[in-house]
Structure formats: C-alpha cells, structure tokens
Amino acid sequence: ALTPSILKKMATRTVTLQSPDKQTFHVPWDVAMRSTVVKQMLEDLPDPSEDDQAPDPVPLMDRSCNANILEKVIEYLNKHHDFDKTGAAQDTKDSWDKDYVKVDDEVLFNLILAANFLDVKDLLDLTCKTVAEYIKQCKTPEEIRQRFNIPNDFSPEEEEEVRRENAWCDETLY
C-alpha cells in the first residue's frame, strides 16, 4: 500500500551519480530520469519502501563524465526540469541556454561527449549547434583550424590537390 510516508519518499527520491573520478552527486529522481542512460540503469530498481536503504551510487564510467563536466550536465538537467515544471517561455530557455554554453572549448567538447554518453538529446543538440555556429563564423579551412587549434597535416602539394578536386565548391560559394 502506498502510505503517506512512501509517497513522500517517492516525491523526494534522489539518485546518487558517481563520476569516474569518484565524486558523487545527489540528484532528484525526476531530474536524473532526463538522461536516457541513467533512466535505463535505474528502471530495474524496486520502488522505495519505508525501510529501504539508499542504493549504491550509479557509476558513470565514461571519461567525459568527470566531476566538473557532470556538475555542468546536472546544472543543465536541473534548470530544464525547472523550466518544464514552471512552463517557462521559450525566450527564457533560449537566453539561459546561450549563457550556459559560454564555456571554453574543452568544456564544450566534453559536454558534447557527456551528453552523448548520457543520452541527453536536448543538451547534445545545444552543444553541437554551438560548435556548428562557431564553424559557420569561419570563412576558410585555415580559420577553422585556428579557431579550434587543429594542426594542418596536409603538405602544400596535398592541400593544392584538395583545392583542385573541390574547386566546384568555391565557385558556388561566391
């Protein structure tokens, strides 16, 4: 039977997530369920009863989920959970998202990896869209290399060959 104390426990139920660097994060159940991977890992857990002990932490062993990145992912999940509960306007969400992705490239790329690993589609879409916008701001392959600190591994001859093979692209862009 669902007693008032069990209902209260279910309403305040939390999940403990553990990063590969052994940091733990206590996350509200509903927030954690926004990750398809965490949801699938927890589906088989029994509902809480009055005498249940806290379950073991859920280990997230992917390198992309180190504590600093997992903390950022949880921040995103919490905020979007709140947005959904309060029926926040799209402008409000967009503004918050825009500020959220104002991070250095290493953090942004690790957020992409973590969102992919944890299967948080809206976070993955947001972070990938941000990188795509950075690329669109670049006019040449050299600018893209500089923007993302990518070494040019083509010899001058190889680069010229690629330009010749793809000359039709340049003609359509101008």
Side-chain angles (χ1 to χ4, degrees), residues 69-115:
I69 299 301
L70 187 54
E71 186 172 17
K72 287 285 293 173
V73 171
I74 293 167
E75 174 190 0
Y76 178 89
L77 296 175
N78 272 317
K79 192 65 176 179
H80 278 261
H81 181 72
D82 290 346
F83 284 152
D84 289 350
K85 277 189 354 191
T86 61
Q90 191 61 47
D91 288 354
T92 303
K93 295 178 194 178
D94 291 345
S95 175
W96 188 88
D97 284 352
K98 188 174 180 181
D99 287 339
Y100 174 83
V101 291
K102 288 181 182 173
V103 294
D104 65 47
D105 287 351
E106 182 179 356
V107 172
L108 182 60
F109 292 130
N110 280 313
L111 283 171
I112 290 171
L113 294 172

mmCIF file of all heavy atoms in Angstrom, residues 69-115:
data_model
loop_
_atom_site.group_PDB
_atom_site.id
_atom_site.type_symbol
_atom_site.label_atom_id
_atom_site.label_comp_id
_atom_site.label_asym_id
_atom_site.label_seq_id
_atom_site.Cartn_x
_atom_site.Cartn_y
_atom_site.Cartn_z
ATOM 1 N N ILE A 69 32.477 18.219 -15.386
ATOM 2 C CA ILE A 69 31.542 18.136 -16.519
ATOM 3 C C ILE A 69 30.199 17.599 -16.042
ATOM 4 O O ILE A 69 29.143 18.127 -16.421
ATOM 5 C CB ILE A 69 32.124 17.268 -17.648
ATOM 6 C CG1 ILE A 69 33.430 17.872 -18.182
ATOM 7 C CG2 ILE A 69 31.104 17.078 -18.762
ATOM 8 C CD1 ILE A 69 33.305 19.288 -18.744
ATOM 9 N N LEU A 70 30.213 16.578 -15.211
ATOM 10 C CA LEU A 70 28.963 16.025 -14.694
ATOM 11 C C LEU A 70 28.190 17.094 -13.924
ATOM 12 O O LEU A 70 26.959 17.196 -14.033
ATOM 13 C CB LEU A 70 29.236 14.804 -13.809
ATOM 14 C CG LEU A 70 28.026 14.027 -13.322
ATOM 15 C CD1 LEU A 70 27.130 13.592 -14.474
ATOM 16 C CD2 LEU A 70 28.472 12.826 -12.498
ATOM 17 N N GLU A 71 28.902 17.921 -13.198
ATOM 18 C CA GLU A 71 28.259 19.024 -12.467
ATOM 19 C C GLU A 71 27.554 19.980 -13.439
ATOM 20 O O GLU A 71 26.427 20.421 -13.192
ATOM 21 C CB GLU A 71 29.309 19.767 -11.645
ATOM 22 C CG GLU A 71 28.750 20.832 -10.738
ATOM 23 C CD GLU A 71 29.797 21.419 -9.808
ATOM 24 O OE1 GLU A 71 31.013 21.262 -10.056
ATOM 25 O OE2 GLU A 71 29.387 22.052 -8.829
ATOM 26 N N LYS A 72 28.198 20.278 -14.580
ATOM 27 C CA LYS A 72 27.589 21.139 -15.595
ATOM 28 C C LYS A 72 26.370 20.460 -16.229
ATOM 29 O O LYS A 72 25.366 21.128 -16.493
ATOM 30 C CB LYS A 72 28.595 21.504 -16.693
ATOM 31 C CG LYS A 72 29.664 22.486 -16.317
ATOM 32 C CD LYS A 72 29.182 23.911 -16.232
ATOM 33 C CE LYS A 72 28.778 24.491 -17.571
ATOM 34 N NZ LYS A 72 28.159 25.830 -17.434
ATOM 35 N N VAL A 73 26.463 19.170 -16.487
ATOM 36 C CA VAL A 73 25.326 18.438 -17.057
ATOM 37 C C VAL A 73 24.151 18.470 -16.076
ATOM 38 O O VAL A 73 23.003 18.734 -16.469
ATOM 39 C CB VAL A 73 25.704 16.979 -17.414
ATOM 40 C CG1 VAL A 73 24.477 16.170 -17.790
ATOM 41 C CG2 VAL A 73 26.736 16.955 -18.535
ATOM 42 N N ILE A 74 24.425 18.235 -14.807
ATOM 43 C CA ILE A 74 23.365 18.243 -13.785
ATOM 44 C C ILE A 74 22.756 19.638 -13.675
ATOM 45 O O ILE A 74 21.537 19.778 -13.518
ATOM 46 C CB ILE A 74 23.899 17.727 -12.433
ATOM 47 C CG1 ILE A 74 24.246 16.235 -12.551
ATOM 48 C CG2 ILE A 74 22.901 17.974 -11.317
ATOM 49 C CD1 ILE A 74 25.053 15.690 -11.391
ATOM 50 N N GLU A 75 23.583 20.671 -13.772
ATOM 51 C CA GLU A 75 23.069 22.051 -13.769
ATOM 52 C C GLU A 75 22.055 22.222 -14.907
ATOM 53 O O GLU A 75 20.963 22.772 -14.715
ATOM 54 C CB GLU A 75 24.226 23.039 -13.936
ATOM 55 C CG GLU A 75 23.792 24.484 -14.079
ATOM 56 C CD GLU A 75 24.926 25.424 -14.484
ATOM 57 O OE1 GLU A 75 26.075 24.966 -14.661
ATOM 58 O OE2 GLU A 75 24.646 26.629 -14.646
ATOM 59 N N TYR A 76 22.413 21.745 -16.105
ATOM 60 C CA TYR A 76 21.526 21.834 -17.262
ATOM 61 C C TYR A 76 20.231 21.046 -17.008
ATOM 62 O O TYR A 76 19.126 21.550 -17.249
ATOM 63 C CB TYR A 76 22.242 21.297 -18.507
ATOM 64 C CG TYR A 76 21.377 21.302 -19.737
ATOM 65 C CD1 TYR A 76 21.314 22.419 -20.571
ATOM 66 C CD2 TYR A 76 20.593 20.197 -20.067
ATOM 67 C CE1 TYR A 76 20.498 22.428 -21.693
ATOM 68 C CE2 TYR A 76 19.775 20.200 -21.186
ATOM 69 C CZ TYR A 76 19.733 21.316 -21.994
ATOM 70 O OH TYR A 76 18.911 21.326 -23.089
ATOM 71 N N LEU A 77 20.359 19.813 -16.526
ATOM 72 C CA LEU A 77 19.183 18.979 -16.284
ATOM 73 C C LEU A 77 18.248 19.615 -15.252
ATOM 74 O O LEU A 77 17.022 19.621 -15.433
ATOM 75 C CB LEU A 77 19.606 17.580 -15.829
ATOM 76 C CG LEU A 77 20.389 16.739 -16.837
ATOM 77 C CD1 LEU A 77 20.842 15.431 -16.201
ATOM 78 C CD2 LEU A 77 19.576 16.473 -18.093
ATOM 79 N N ASN A 78 18.825 20.128 -14.169
ATOM 80 C CA ASN A 78 18.024 20.788 -13.131
ATOM 81 C C ASN A 78 17.274 21.988 -13.692
ATOM 82 O O ASN A 78 16.086 22.162 -13.451
ATOM 83 C CB ASN A 78 18.912 21.251 -11.969
ATOM 84 C CG ASN A 78 19.098 20.190 -10.920
ATOM 85 O OD1 ASN A 78 18.176 19.499 -10.532
ATOM 86 N ND2 ASN A 78 20.332 20.059 -10.445
ATOM 87 N N LYS A 79 17.991 22.822 -14.434
ATOM 88 C CA LYS A 79 17.381 24.044 -14.953
ATOM 89 C C LYS A 79 16.259 23.714 -15.936
ATOM 90 O O LYS A 79 15.179 24.311 -15.869
ATOM 91 C CB LYS A 79 18.451 24.919 -15.622
ATOM 92 C CG LYS A 79 17.974 26.307 -15.936
ATOM 93 C CD LYS A 79 17.662 27.058 -14.646
ATOM 94 C CE LYS A 79 17.264 28.480 -14.917
ATOM 95 N NZ LYS A 79 16.950 29.205 -13.692
ATOM 96 N N HIS A 80 16.492 22.760 -16.819
ATOM 97 C CA HIS A 80 15.454 22.410 -17.792
ATOM 98 C C HIS A 80 14.284 21.673 -17.130
ATOM 99 O O HIS A 80 13.137 21.802 -17.584
ATOM 100 C CB HIS A 80 16.050 21.643 -18.974
ATOM 101 C CG HIS A 80 16.645 22.582 -19.972
ATOM 102 N ND1 HIS A 80 15.984 22.962 -21.109
ATOM 103 C CD2 HIS A 80 17.812 23.284 -19.970
ATOM 104 C CE1 HIS A 80 16.722 23.835 -21.781
ATOM 105 N NE2 HIS A 80 17.841 24.037 -21.102
ATOM 106 N N HIS A 81 14.551 20.964 -16.053
ATOM 107 C CA HIS A 81 13.461 20.362 -15.277
ATOM 108 C C HIS A 81 12.594 21.478 -14.676
ATOM 109 O O HIS A 81 11.360 21.422 -14.741
ATOM 110 C CB HIS A 81 14.034 19.457 -14.186
ATOM 111 C CG HIS A 81 12.996 18.789 -13.351
ATOM 112 N ND1 HIS A 81 12.209 17.760 -13.819
ATOM 113 C CD2 HIS A 81 12.598 19.012 -12.072
ATOM 114 C CE1 HIS A 81 11.378 17.372 -12.870
ATOM 115 N NE2 HIS A 81 11.592 18.123 -11.804
ATOM 116 N N ASP A 82 13.256 22.492 -14.118
ATOM 117 C CA ASP A 82 12.527 23.646 -13.564
ATOM 118 C C ASP A 82 11.743 24.378 -14.652
ATOM 119 O O ASP A 82 10.600 24.785 -14.431
ATOM 120 C CB ASP A 82 13.486 24.626 -12.879
ATOM 121 C CG ASP A 82 14.075 24.065 -11.588
ATOM 122 O OD1 ASP A 82 13.551 23.042 -11.073
ATOM 123 O OD2 ASP A 82 15.063 24.638 -11.102
ATOM 124 N N PHE A 83 12.377 24.565 -15.817
ATOM 125 C CA PHE A 83 11.678 25.219 -16.933
ATOM 126 C C PHE A 83 10.391 24.468 -17.268
ATOM 127 O O PHE A 83 9.344 25.071 -17.481
ATOM 128 C CB PHE A 83 12.554 25.278 -18.190
ATOM 129 C CG PHE A 83 13.645 26.316 -18.167
ATOM 130 C CD1 PHE A 83 14.809 26.117 -18.896
ATOM 131 C CD2 PHE A 83 13.523 27.496 -17.451
ATOM 132 C CE1 PHE A 83 15.817 27.068 -18.904
ATOM 133 C CE2 PHE A 83 14.526 28.454 -17.448
ATOM 134 C CZ PHE A 83 15.677 28.246 -18.181
ATOM 135 N N ASP A 84 10.486 23.147 -17.331
ATOM 136 C CA ASP A 84 9.311 22.343 -17.680
ATOM 137 C C ASP A 84 8.236 22.433 -16.593
ATOM 138 O O ASP A 84 7.045 22.499 -16.903
ATOM 139 C CB ASP A 84 9.697 20.885 -17.916
ATOM 140 C CG ASP A 84 10.497 20.689 -19.206
ATOM 141 O OD1 ASP A 84 10.592 21.640 -20.013
ATOM 142 O OD2 ASP A 84 11.029 19.580 -19.395
ATOM 143 N N LYS A 85 8.651 22.425 -15.318
ATOM 144 C CA LYS A 85 7.686 22.497 -14.218
ATOM 145 C C LYS A 85 6.965 23.840 -14.189
ATOM 146 O O LYS A 85 5.786 23.905 -13.851
ATOM 147 C CB LYS A 85 8.385 22.274 -12.867
ATOM 148 C CG LYS A 85 8.571 20.829 -12.536
ATOM 149 C CD LYS A 85 9.053 20.509 -11.132
ATOM 150 C CE LYS A 85 9.437 21.622 -10.229
ATOM 151 N NZ LYS A 85 10.120 21.196 -9.018
ATOM 152 N N THR A 86 7.682 24.919 -14.525
ATOM 153 C CA THR A 86 7.096 26.257 -14.425
ATOM 154 C C THR A 86 6.501 26.739 -15.737
ATOM 155 O O THR A 86 5.916 27.820 -15.788
ATOM 156 C CB THR A 86 8.160 27.278 -13.961
ATOM 157 O OG1 THR A 86 9.222 27.311 -14.923
ATOM 158 C CG2 THR A 86 8.717 26.915 -12.584
ATOM 159 N N GLY A 87 6.675 25.961 -16.807
ATOM 160 C CA GLY A 87 6.152 26.388 -18.104
ATOM 161 C C GLY A 87 6.858 27.640 -18.618
ATOM 162 O O GLY A 87 6.223 28.534 -19.179
ATOM 163 N N ALA A 88 8.158 27.696 -18.426
ATOM 164 C CA ALA A 88 8.939 28.872 -18.820
ATOM 165 C C ALA A 88 8.813 29.140 -20.317
ATOM 166 O O ALA A 88 8.680 28.213 -21.120
ATOM 167 C CB ALA A 88 10.411 28.661 -18.461
ATOM 168 N N ALA A 89 8.860 30.413 -20.667
ATOM 169 C CA ALA A 89 8.776 30.824 -22.070
ATOM 170 C C ALA A 89 10.022 30.366 -22.822
ATOM 171 O O ALA A 89 11.113 30.272 -22.239
ATOM 172 C CB ALA A 89 8.640 32.342 -22.153
ATOM 173 N N GLN A 90 9.864 30.110 -24.119
ATOM 174 C CA GLN A 90 10.983 29.666 -24.949
ATOM 175 C C GLN A 90 12.121 30.690 -24.930
ATOM 176 O O GLN A 90 13.288 30.320 -24.911
ATOM 177 C CB GLN A 90 10.515 29.396 -26.381
ATOM 178 C CG GLN A 90 11.554 28.687 -27.226
ATOM 179 C CD GLN A 90 11.947 27.314 -26.679
ATOM 180 O OE1 GLN A 90 11.091 26.508 -26.314
ATOM 181 N NE2 GLN A 90 13.237 27.037 -26.608
ATOM 182 N N ASP A 91 11.794 31.979 -24.926
ATOM 183 C CA ASP A 91 12.820 33.033 -24.874
ATOM 184 C C ASP A 91 13.679 32.897 -23.620
ATOM 185 O O ASP A 91 14.897 33.100 -23.658
ATOM 186 C CB ASP A 91 12.188 34.434 -24.900
ATOM 187 C CG ASP A 91 11.616 34.795 -26.252
ATOM 188 O OD1 ASP A 91 11.810 34.011 -27.220
ATOM 189 O OD2 ASP A 91 10.973 35.858 -26.359
ATOM 190 N N THR A 92 13.033 32.575 -22.513
ATOM 191 C CA THR A 92 13.754 32.406 -21.245
ATOM 192 C C THR A 92 14.718 31.233 -21.341
ATOM 193 O O THR A 92 15.880 31.330 -20.933
ATOM 194 C CB THR A 92 12.749 32.180 -20.095
ATOM 195 O OG1 THR A 92 11.842 33.279 -20.060
ATOM 196 C CG2 THR A 92 13.452 32.042 -18.759
ATOM 197 N N LYS A 93 14.227 30.119 -21.884
ATOM 198 C CA LYS A 93 15.077 28.936 -22.053
ATOM 199 C C LYS A 93 16.249 29.241 -22.985
ATOM 200 O O LYS A 93 17.395 28.900 -22.688
ATOM 201 C CB LYS A 93 14.271 27.765 -22.626
ATOM 202 C CG LYS A 93 13.190 27.232 -21.737
ATOM 203 C CD LYS A 93 12.455 26.110 -22.463
ATOM 204 C CE LYS A 93 11.165 25.739 -21.799
ATOM 205 N NZ LYS A 93 10.449 24.695 -22.536
ATOM 206 N N ASP A 94 15.947 29.872 -24.122
ATOM 207 C CA ASP A 94 16.992 30.176 -25.110
ATOM 208 C C ASP A 94 18.062 31.083 -24.525
ATOM 209 O O ASP A 94 19.258 30.887 -24.773
ATOM 210 C CB ASP A 94 16.383 30.818 -26.358
ATOM 211 C CG ASP A 94 15.525 29.842 -27.159
ATOM 212 O OD1 ASP A 94 15.614 28.616 -26.921
ATOM 213 O OD2 ASP A 94 14.757 30.324 -28.019
ATOM 214 N N SER A 95 17.644 32.068 -23.762
ATOM 215 C CA SER A 95 18.595 33.003 -23.145
ATOM 216 C C SER A 95 19.501 32.263 -22.154
ATOM 217 O O SER A 95 20.720 32.455 -22.139
ATOM 218 C CB SER A 95 17.826 34.124 -22.447
ATOM 219 O OG SER A 95 18.704 34.964 -21.763
ATOM 220 N N TRP A 96 18.897 31.413 -21.328
ATOM 221 C CA TRP A 96 19.690 30.652 -20.364
ATOM 222 C C TRP A 96 20.646 29.708 -21.082
ATOM 223 O O TRP A 96 21.822 29.603 -20.729
ATOM 224 C CB TRP A 96 18.772 29.869 -19.410
ATOM 225 C CG TRP A 96 19.541 29.243 -18.293
ATOM 226 C CD1 TRP A 96 19.855 29.802 -17.097
ATOM 227 C CD2 TRP A 96 20.132 27.930 -18.282
ATOM 228 N NE1 TRP A 96 20.594 28.924 -16.339
ATOM 229 C CE2 TRP A 96 20.774 27.771 -17.042
ATOM 230 C CE3 TRP A 96 20.170 26.886 -19.196
ATOM 231 C CZ2 TRP A 96 21.451 26.603 -16.694
ATOM 232 C CZ3 TRP A 96 20.841 25.725 -18.841
ATOM 233 C CH2 TRP A 96 21.472 25.589 -17.606
ATOM 234 N N ASP A 97 20.149 29.017 -22.111
ATOM 235 C CA ASP A 97 20.989 28.091 -22.874
ATOM 236 C C ASP A 97 22.183 28.812 -23.493
ATOM 237 O O ASP A 97 23.310 28.295 -23.489
ATOM 238 C CB ASP A 97 20.184 27.409 -23.986
ATOM 239 C CG ASP A 97 19.268 26.309 -23.471
ATOM 240 O OD1 ASP A 97 19.352 25.953 -22.275
ATOM 241 O OD2 ASP A 97 18.465 25.803 -24.280
ATOM 242 N N LYS A 98 21.934 30.010 -24.034
ATOM 243 C CA LYS A 98 23.007 30.779 -24.676
ATOM 244 C C LYS A 98 24.121 31.095 -23.672
ATOM 245 O O LYS A 98 25.303 30.975 -23.984
ATOM 246 C CB LYS A 98 22.422 32.062 -25.272
ATOM 247 C CG LYS A 98 23.380 32.843 -26.117
ATOM 248 C CD LYS A 98 22.685 34.024 -26.782
ATOM 249 C CE LYS A 98 23.677 34.798 -27.624
ATOM 250 N NZ LYS A 98 23.059 35.949 -28.262
ATOM 251 N N ASP A 99 23.730 31.467 -22.459
ATOM 252 C CA ASP A 99 24.734 31.740 -21.420
ATOM 253 C C ASP A 99 25.413 30.458 -20.948
ATOM 254 O O ASP A 99 26.611 30.443 -20.661
ATOM 255 C CB ASP A 99 24.090 32.449 -20.217
ATOM 256 C CG ASP A 99 23.755 33.897 -20.516
ATOM 257 O OD1 ASP A 99 24.351 34.483 -21.451
ATOM 258 O OD2 ASP A 99 22.882 34.448 -19.819
ATOM 259 N N TYR A 100 24.655 29.379 -20.890
ATOM 260 C CA TYR A 100 25.178 28.098 -20.409
ATOM 261 C C TYR A 100 26.340 27.601 -21.267
ATOM 262 O O TYR A 100 27.297 27.035 -20.743
ATOM 263 C CB TYR A 100 24.046 27.064 -20.397
ATOM 264 C CG TYR A 100 24.487 25.665 -20.045
ATOM 265 C CD1 TYR A 100 24.641 25.276 -18.713
ATOM 266 C CD2 TYR A 100 24.757 24.719 -21.035
ATOM 267 C CE1 TYR A 100 25.040 23.987 -18.390
ATOM 268 C CE2 TYR A 100 25.150 23.433 -20.713
ATOM 269 C CZ TYR A 100 25.295 23.079 -19.395
ATOM 270 O OH TYR A 100 25.701 21.811 -19.065
ATOM 271 N N VAL A 101 26.262 27.807 -22.577
ATOM 272 C CA VAL A 101 27.310 27.281 -23.462
ATOM 273 C C VAL A 101 28.471 28.267 -23.650
ATOM 274 O O VAL A 101 29.365 28.009 -24.459
ATOM 275 C CB VAL A 101 26.760 26.837 -24.835
ATOM 276 C CG1 VAL A 101 25.891 25.600 -24.681
ATOM 277 C CG2 VAL A 101 26.024 27.953 -25.540
ATOM 278 N N LYS A 102 28.498 29.351 -22.897
ATOM 279 C CA LYS A 102 29.631 30.272 -22.941
ATOM 280 C C LYS A 102 30.734 29.714 -22.039
ATOM 281 O O LYS A 102 30.948 30.168 -20.912
ATOM 282 C CB LYS A 102 29.222 31.676 -22.481
ATOM 283 C CG LYS A 102 28.357 32.402 -23.479
ATOM 284 C CD LYS A 102 28.006 33.794 -23.002
ATOM 285 C CE LYS A 102 27.106 34.471 -24.012
ATOM 286 N NZ LYS A 102 26.614 35.764 -23.502
ATOM 287 N N VAL A 103 31.381 28.682 -22.544
ATOM 288 C CA VAL A 103 32.449 27.996 -21.810
ATOM 289 C C VAL A 103 33.621 27.819 -22.774
ATOM 290 O O VAL A 103 33.471 27.999 -23.982
ATOM 291 C CB VAL A 103 31.977 26.617 -21.289
ATOM 292 C CG1 VAL A 103 30.890 26.770 -20.235
ATOM 293 C CG2 VAL A 103 31.477 25.725 -22.418
ATOM 294 N N ASP A 104 34.775 27.453 -22.238
ATOM 295 C CA ASP A 104 35.906 27.239 -23.149
ATOM 296 C C ASP A 104 35.685 25.964 -23.958
ATOM 297 O O ASP A 104 34.825 25.141 -23.638
ATOM 298 C CB ASP A 104 37.244 27.248 -22.403
ATOM 299 C CG ASP A 104 37.410 26.105 -21.416
ATOM 300 O OD1 ASP A 104 37.126 24.947 -21.785
ATOM 301 O OD2 ASP A 104 37.854 26.364 -20.284
ATOM 302 N N ASP A 105 36.451 25.853 -25.039
ATOM 303 C CA ASP A 105 36.247 24.755 -25.981
ATOM 304 C C ASP A 105 36.367 23.383 -25.326
ATOM 305 O O ASP A 105 35.585 22.478 -25.639
ATOM 306 C CB ASP A 105 37.245 24.846 -27.146
ATOM 307 C CG ASP A 105 36.914 25.959 -28.110
ATOM 308 O OD1 ASP A 105 35.830 26.567 -27.989
ATOM 309 O OD2 ASP A 105 37.741 26.228 -29.001
ATOM 310 N N GLU A 106 37.311 23.208 -24.434
ATOM 311 C CA GLU A 106 37.498 21.897 -23.805
ATOM 312 C C GLU A 106 36.242 21.482 -23.043
ATOM 313 O O GLU A 106 35.788 20.335 -23.141
ATOM 314 C CB GLU A 106 38.709 21.908 -22.872
ATOM 315 C CG GLU A 106 38.969 20.553 -22.237
ATOM 316 C CD GLU A 106 40.176 20.525 -21.316
ATOM 317 O OE1 GLU A 106 40.887 21.542 -21.200
ATOM 318 O OE2 GLU A 106 40.386 19.460 -20.709
ATOM 319 N N VAL A 107 35.663 22.414 -22.298
ATOM 320 C CA VAL A 107 34.432 22.119 -21.555
ATOM 321 C C VAL A 107 33.299 21.823 -22.534
ATOM 322 O O VAL A 107 32.547 20.861 -22.363
ATOM 323 C CB VAL A 107 34.062 23.272 -20.605
ATOM 324 C CG1 VAL A 107 32.682 23.070 -19.985
ATOM 325 C CG2 VAL A 107 35.119 23.421 -19.513
ATOM 326 N N LEU A 108 33.183 22.636 -23.585
ATOM 327 C CA LEU A 108 32.119 22.445 -24.571
ATOM 328 C C LEU A 108 32.217 21.062 -25.220
ATOM 329 O O LEU A 108 31.218 20.342 -25.328
ATOM 330 C CB LEU A 108 32.173 23.544 -25.628
ATOM 331 C CG LEU A 108 31.089 23.503 -26.701
ATOM 332 C CD1 LEU A 108 29.691 23.622 -26.087
ATOM 333 C CD2 LEU A 108 31.316 24.617 -27.720
ATOM 334 N N PHE A 109 33.413 20.672 -25.640
ATOM 335 C CA PHE A 109 33.573 19.368 -26.281
ATOM 336 C C PHE A 109 33.310 18.223 -25.303
ATOM 337 O O PHE A 109 32.743 17.195 -25.675
ATOM 338 C CB PHE A 109 34.953 19.239 -26.930
ATOM 339 C CG PHE A 109 35.128 20.146 -28.114
ATOM 340 C CD1 PHE A 109 36.242 20.953 -28.225
ATOM 341 C CD2 PHE A 109 34.170 20.205 -29.111
ATOM 342 C CE1 PHE A 109 36.407 21.804 -29.318
ATOM 343 C CE2 PHE A 109 34.319 21.044 -30.208
ATOM 344 C CZ PHE A 109 35.440 21.847 -30.306
ATOM 345 N N ASN A 110 33.701 18.400 -24.045
ATOM 346 C CA ASN A 110 33.403 17.367 -23.051
ATOM 347 C C ASN A 110 31.916 17.311 -22.722
ATOM 348 O O ASN A 110 31.381 16.233 -22.431
ATOM 349 C CB ASN A 110 34.240 17.554 -21.785
ATOM 350 C CG ASN A 110 35.638 17.018 -21.961
ATOM 351 O OD1 ASN A 110 35.825 15.908 -22.446
ATOM 352 N ND2 ASN A 110 36.632 17.798 -21.583
ATOM 353 N N LEU A 111 31.229 18.453 -22.789
ATOM 354 C CA LEU A 111 29.772 18.444 -22.622
ATOM 355 C C LEU A 111 29.108 17.665 -23.758
ATOM 356 O O LEU A 111 28.138 16.930 -23.528
ATOM 357 C CB LEU A 111 29.216 19.870 -22.566
ATOM 358 C CG LEU A 111 29.398 20.612 -21.249
ATOM 359 C CD1 LEU A 111 29.008 22.076 -21.402
ATOM 360 C CD2 LEU A 111 28.594 19.952 -20.135
ATOM 361 N N ILE A 112 29.633 17.829 -24.972
ATOM 362 C CA ILE A 112 29.104 17.058 -26.108
ATOM 363 C C ILE A 112 29.278 15.564 -25.843
ATOM 364 O O ILE A 112 28.340 14.772 -26.016
ATOM 365 C CB ILE A 112 29.798 17.461 -27.428
ATOM 366 C CG1 ILE A 112 29.368 18.867 -27.848
ATOM 367 C CG2 ILE A 112 29.506 16.448 -28.532
ATOM 368 C CD1 ILE A 112 30.157 19.446 -29.015
ATOM 369 N N LEU A 113 30.470 15.174 -25.424
ATOM 370 C CA LEU A 113 30.739 13.751 -25.162
ATOM 371 C C LEU A 113 29.851 13.218 -24.034
ATOM 372 O O LEU A 113 29.297 12.124 -24.133
ATOM 373 C CB LEU A 113 32.210 13.546 -24.829
ATOM 374 C CG LEU A 113 33.200 13.829 -25.965
ATOM 375 C CD1 LEU A 113 34.638 13.775 -25.444
ATOM 376 C CD2 LEU A 113 33.000 12.868 -27.119
ATOM 377 N N ALA A 114 29.719 14.001 -22.964
ATOM 378 C CA ALA A 114 28.902 13.563 -21.827
ATOM 379 C C ALA A 114 27.423 13.488 -22.211
ATOM 380 O O ALA A 114 26.731 12.532 -21.848
ATOM 381 C CB ALA A 114 29.100 14.501 -20.637
ATOM 382 N N ALA A 115 26.930 14.484 -22.942
ATOM 383 C CA ALA A 115 25.523 14.467 -23.371
ATOM 384 C C ALA A 115 25.261 13.269 -24.273
ATOM 385 O O ALA A 115 24.200 12.640 -24.190
ATOM 386 C CB ALA A 115 25.178 15.773 -24.086
#
